[in-house]
């Protein structure tokens, strides 16, 4: 029997590593036992998500979110604003 609890969406800032690590680690935790999953390099992903190093951030903004069911992360998503696209 499974109990369905509500899902809470939590905004995440890159600068808050305590919370961001849940966003960052979610796909690694989710796919850990999948023999067909080839994880991306963590070093590359950290650079990709870092507003000071990721190339998207030169012309865009991102907000990260995690979905929580109780105290467990059950998903993640991002919202993007691409300023170059908006100019066109």
């Amino acid at each position: 029997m499974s109990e369905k609890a509500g899902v809470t969406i939590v905004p995440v800032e890159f600068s808050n590593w305590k919370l961001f690590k849940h966003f960052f680690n979610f796909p690694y935790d989710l796919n850990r036992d999948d023999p067909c999953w080839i994880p991306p390099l963590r070093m590359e992903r950290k650079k990709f998500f870092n507003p000071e190093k990721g190339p998207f951030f030169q012309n865009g903004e991102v907000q990260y979110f995690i979905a929580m069911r109780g105290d467990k992360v059950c998903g993640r998503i991002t919202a993007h604003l691409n300023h170059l696209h908006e100019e066109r």
Side-chain angles (χ1 to χ4, degrees), residues 28 37-42:
Y28 297 92
W37 189 61
I38 299 172
L41 296 173
R42 289 178 182 265

Side-chain angles (χ1 to χ4, degrees), residues 47-76:
K47 181 179 176 182
F48 178 84
F49 288 121
N50 185 336
E52 295 178 8
K53 297 181 180 178
F56 177 80
F57 296 98
Q58 293 173 2
N59 300 299
E61 299 174 50
V62 176
Q63 177 62 60
Y64 307 115
F65 299 92
I66 54 175
M68 304 287 294
R69 183 172 283 130
D71 62 350
K72 183 176 169 126
V73 178
C74 60
R76 76 176 193 177

